[in-house]
Amino acid sequence: MNWDVIVENLPLYLEGAKLTLILAFASLCISFFLAISLAFLRNSENAALRYTVMAYTLVFRGTPLLVQLFLIYFGLAQFSLVRESVLWPWLSSPMVCVIAAFVLNTTAYSTEIFAGGLRHIPVGEIEAARAYGMSGLVQARRILIPAMLTRSLPLYGNEMIMMLHATSLASTVTLLEVTGVARNITLNYYIQFEPYVTAAAIYLVLTFALVSAFQLVQRRWAGYLESRIG
Amino acid sequence: MVADYAAAILSAGSTTLLVAVLSLLVATFLGLTAAFAKLSASAGLRAVAGIYTFVVRGIPDLVIMLLVFYSLPALLNQWIEMLGWDFRVEFSPTAAGIATLGVIFGAYMTETFKTALQNIPRGQIEAAIAYGLTRRRMFTHIILPQLVRLALPGFTNNWLVLAKGTALVSLIGLQDVMFRAKGAAEATAMPFTFYLIAAGFYLAVTLVSMLLLFLVAHRFDVGTRKVLS
């Protein structure tokens, strides 16, 4: 066994874990706001808007994230228009491509989750808000968005964990997050067992921490829904 | 030229579908076994099934695949060397891919089947026991038909995720749709075109699966009361 190699390279793993968390956190933060807006459009009375959002979520939920990532990172270079544009230094960076792909992907899933939450708000709550004379914006801010988010919490928690795990795909486009670090160590030291097991352990710890934090949030913000069922 | 490469990519669709279907079989078997283990009276079985689902769902699919394809044979070879035997273990990408996807989605299936089993009314099981049905007949006549209906939405979902998850096997060298698309992209400097064709393939699989499973769900919903509409 070569565990001393792992101990020697622990700082690399730490850097990797930091990048993993940054990728997951950045993608989730950006997609959170996009998904809330899109969830309203997904339930809009305007059929054109509704179907456009539906088509977007269908395409991004219906194809593998790996394909989406490769389309953006390798694919865009096919067009000279893109290569010669001022944005090219950005679009050729793996970091930007990875976050763009992750945001597009997780926004599609989150939109459907939030849209589902929005549809399940009891009509009475919305009628009450109208009866109080709230404008559309005030209704959304005070009633709809909080009710939608608390109702979507369990599913959104799953999506967050999915996103955390999806960051491992960033290693396929040269980024050195946890999986990328493990891969590099296997190549540099010709050992196949320890590096990946260490990576797996790190993901387990991160997942466990996220799940625990989420249960606290759930009890704090969505506790009122549970007592009603039980 | 584009047409030739496109044909090569789409002809690998059979490999992708074969991997997906075989993984689904493994996953269904593991899922059913672990679901019964989780609901069993034995604390040992419950713990084993609990650890299985916790560990698998706590690690990214890609890492599990690398563990199965690289780490596991490395570990086995170390043991073989210690025992002084004269051979080496190596997994084929196909076997490793199917095993990995089966194990991963087995964990997701476990939760689906467990919830479905819990939703079968307890009284029906008691009635079956009271009628003196053997365990086997109780399973085939009472549990299974309802399990199919109750687990179908979750099962559908898992299948859709699994079909897309097969794209990962290209990373361990299995010649699936994604692997061929990468080959074509690198050979022609037209990556967008060929990855788009691959994306189209996966989207088609998703749409066809959704349609088929909608029809199956309709069939198994016969006889349930509709509360609304």
Side-chain angles (χ1 to χ4, degrees):
Chain A
M1 288 281 156
N2 300 295
W3 289 106
D4 33 328
V5 171
I6 301 300
V7 175
E8 230 172 84
N9 285 295
L10 268 185
L12 280 181
Y13 274 108
L14 213 63
E15 283 295 304
K18 216 166 83 186
L19 184 57
T20 292
L21 288 176
I22 290 173
L23 289 175
F25 190 72
S27 312
L28 284 170
C29 278
I30 301 171
S31 85
F32 183 73
F33 294 102
L34 289 174
I36 289 180
S37 328
L38 288 178
F40 280 95
L41 298 184
R42 178 77 175 78
N43 288 319
S44 145
E45 272 157 27
N46 181 334
L49 280 177
R50 208 165 58 226
Y51 286 120
T52 310
V53 177
M54 208 175 102
Y56 158 68
T57 64
L58 185 68
V59 167
F60 278 84
R61 296 189 314 150
T63 51
L65 175 57
L66 189 67
V67 179
Q68 295 162 19
L69 178 60
F70 282 10
L71 265 175
I72 295 176
Y73 182 67
F74 297 114
L76 288 182
Q78 183 176 331
F79 307 105
S80 55
L81 200 73
V82 177
R83 278 200 311 269
E84 285 151 17
S85 78
V86 281
L87 290 172
W88 181 239
W90 280 75
L91 290 174
S92 59
S93 119
M95 187 78 176
V96 172
C97 289
V98 159
I99 290 185
F102 288 175
V103 166
L104 282 170
N105 186 267
T106 189
T107 303
Y109 285 93
S110 309
T111 300
E112 287 300 328
I113 293 171
F114 291 159
L118 203 55
R119 276 193 289 272
H120 284 112
I121 298 175
V123 188
E125 288 185 25
I126 302 170
E127 283 170 348
R130 275 195 206 133
Y132 270 101
M134 290 186 194
S135 70
L137 220 57
V138 176
Q139 253 182 58
R141 184 166 55 82
R142 286 201 193 148
I143 310 292
L144 297 177
I145 293 177
M148 165 177 98
L149 292 182
T150 49
R151 256 159 245 277
S152 330
L153 263 183
L155 283 175
Y156 191 62
N158 278 345
E159 178 53 28
M160 285 170 85
I161 293 166
M162 288 289 175
M163 188 64 245
L164 175 71
H165 289 174
T167 57
S168 64
L169 292 185
S171 65
T172 60
V173 293
T174 72
L175 285 188
L176 289 178
E177 37 64 74
V178 174
T179 311
V181 167
R183 219 181 81 97
N184 264 8
I185 296 176
T186 62
L187 297 176
N188 290 341
Y189 294 88
Y190 300 106
I191 49 171
Q192 305 280 10
F193 181 71
E194 297 83 353
Y196 290 132
V197 172
T198 312
I202 293 175
Y203 283 114
L204 263 183
V205 171
L206 292 179
T207 307
F208 187 69
L210 190 63
V211 169
S212 310
F214 209 80
Q215 278 167 350
L216 281 179
V217 172
Q218 171 120 5
R219 226 169 293 150
R220 171 75 184 80
W221 296 103
Y224 76 100
L225 289 173
E226 256 165 48
S227 59
R228 204 179 289 168
I229 298 161
Chain B
M1 183 191 72
V2 172
D4 290 344
Y5 277 113
I9 293 172
L10 294 178
S11 69
S14 55
T15 309
T16 292
L17 288 177
L18 186 74
V19 169
V21 169
L22 290 179
S23 313
L24 185 72
L25 289 179
V26 176
T28 308
F29 175 74
L30 282 176
L32 265 182
T33 313
F36 278 110
K38 275 201 166 184
L39 296 172
S40 95
S42 145
L45 280 180
R46 281 203 306 270
V48 171
I51 292 171
Y52 163 56
T53 55
F54 174 76
V55 168
V56 168
R57 299 198 308 161
I59 304 174
D61 299 0
L62 175 60
V63 177
I64 299 181
M65 189 160 287
L66 297 172
L67 279 172
V68 172
F69 189 61
Y70 293 112
S71 303
L72 190 60
L75 182 73
L76 293 175
N77 284 329
Q78 261 177 4
W79 286 349
I80 289 169
E81 216 170 287
M82 276 196 307
L83 290 167
W85 295 344
D86 191 30
F87 66 95
R88 291 186 69 76
V89 180
E90 205 173 302
F91 292 165
S92 82
T94 318
I98 292 169
T100 315
L101 291 169
V103 167
I104 294 169
F105 287 90
Y108 291 99
M109 290 293 186
T110 304
E111 300 302 326
T112 304
F113 289 139
K114 194 189 113 192
T115 318
L117 285 173
Q118 281 171 327
N119 282 336
I120 296 174
R122 182 85 201 127
Q124 296 192 7
I125 311 281
E126 284 162 7
I129 295 170
Y131 270 102
L133 260 63
T134 60
R135 287 181 73 91
R136 175 193 289 271
R137 294 200 65 172
M138 186 164 82
F139 182 75
T140 54
H141 285 72
I142 311 290
I143 296 178
L144 196 61
Q146 303 195 70
L147 185 67
V148 174
R149 175 169 58 83
L150 291 169
L152 205 60
F155 189 86
T156 312
N157 226 353
N158 288 338
W159 159 255
L160 293 176
V161 182
L162 168 62
K164 288 178 288 162
T166 56
L168 289 183
V169 297
S170 66
L171 298 174
I172 56 171
L174 189 65
Q175 301 219 10
D176 70 333
V177 170
M178 196 58 194
F179 189 89
R180 294 268 178 91
K182 200 173 164 66
E186 281 161 4
T188 58
M190 290 168 71
F192 197 86
T193 313
F194 292 116
Y195 286 129
L196 201 62
I197 290 172
F201 170 79
Y202 289 105
L203 192 60
V205 171
T206 303
L207 292 176
V208 171
S209 309
M210 279 165 77
L211 183 70
L212 285 180
L213 288 156
F214 174 78
L215 295 176
V216 174
H218 200 69
R219 171 72 188 81
F220 276 90
D221 262 349
V222 170
T224 56
R225 272 184 296 173
K226 294 277 177 294
V227 180
L228 292 167
S229 76

